[in-house]
Amino acid sequence: MEPILELQDLEVKFHTLDGVVNAVNGVSYRVERGKTLGIVGESGCGKSVSVLSIMRLIQDPPGKIKEGKILLRGKDLLDYSEQQMERVRGAEIGMVFQDPMTSLNPVLTIGKQVREAMIVHKGLSREEAEERAVGLLNLVGIPNPEQRIGDYPHQFSGGMRQRAMIAMALSCSPEILIADEPTTALDVTIQAQIIELTKRLQAELGMAVIWITHDLGVVAELADDVVVMYAGYIVEEADVFQLYENPRHPYTIALLHSLPRVDRGQQDQRLATIPGFPPDGITVLPGCPLAPRCNFVVERCMQENPSLTLVDTDHKIACWVDTTTGKERT
């Protein structure tokens, strides 16, 4: 199936006072129509930078997309002018940001902010956009939308603000929804509600979703396919069932072992940790970036960074070691 969105060998760097930060290093992934791609990794691994690059929201300077292609239905967004990208943002690709309080304008009503994209992209009148905005707020589960549409962001709870952000992202019926850790600041009950809401809306509207998170539990609920990132690289890529049933990369294995499990006995209650710290992105050492923290490390890991290699049907890892046997791969 032809993907609706595809990244090819994307490289993004940031020029700082301390040096050049290699934020994204040759990342490639694809998003199928109507499917959900989960992007997982700890803070600073390049998840958000890769999707901000899709939206062309990397501030230049200090950031710069150095290499690669971002293909939307086969057309490279990196060749688009800013005016063309303004038509893509919101209309074709919607985005929900991590913190709704800083993403929403505090001096504009929720209704005005939901209406704006429809007036700009769809050419609706204020009255038509208002009517659709009420319907969208109702769709995302905000009670009494006719009254709440005149409220300001500070009058909404955290969960309600995130629902309003989703309504804004859906206002022009985009084909792709990007959600950048949208449940991080919310309590677990509201997180579950937002996840269920996203699943329901995807089923109803048939859109593709890119869901960025550091929470593997959320990915298990939502994703069809999963990309695991570390230090700006993709280290594992598989469908969600393969990833959880048979993780093959040391980093993915360590992440899964760090999750609390209800099926473990009392003697197994201590959670595993990953020793050390991720690289800073400025100091580029030879070898695999995970090598100093890896339990499977061999001499080759310190000398050469592995490329992403197919190890099973639709299952790729970037590792010199077969983690099922502990032996070095040839």
Side-chain angles (χ1 to χ4, degrees), residues 110-166:
I110 294 293
K112 183 173 178 57
Q113 295 183 66
V114 176
R115 288 196 310 264
E116 184 177 21
M118 292 183 281
I119 293 171
V120 171
H121 292 298
K122 297 293 187 181
L124 300 185
S125 67
R126 187 186 184 282
E127 292 74 21
E128 291 171 330
E130 178 98 8
E131 183 179 349
R132 177 156 167 74
V134 169
L136 284 165
L137 294 182
N138 184 60
L139 181 69
V140 298
I142 292 179
N144 303 316
E146 296 85 356
Q147 287 76 44
R148 300 307 303 269
I149 202 167
D151 288 349
Y152 290 86
H154 73 272
Q155 295 174 278
F156 276 47
S157 67
M160 289 295 113
R161 285 195 292 267
Q162 199 59 280
R163 288 170 186 265
M165 283 291 297
I166 293 172

Side-chain angles (χ1 to χ4, degrees), residues 172-194:
C172 295
S173 304
E175 294 180 273
I176 303 168
L177 176 68
I178 297 174
D180 186 5
E181 303 203 44
T183 61
T184 298
L186 307 177
D187 64 57
V188 291
T189 305
I190 304 301
Q191 280 186 33
Q193 292 175 3
I194 296 296

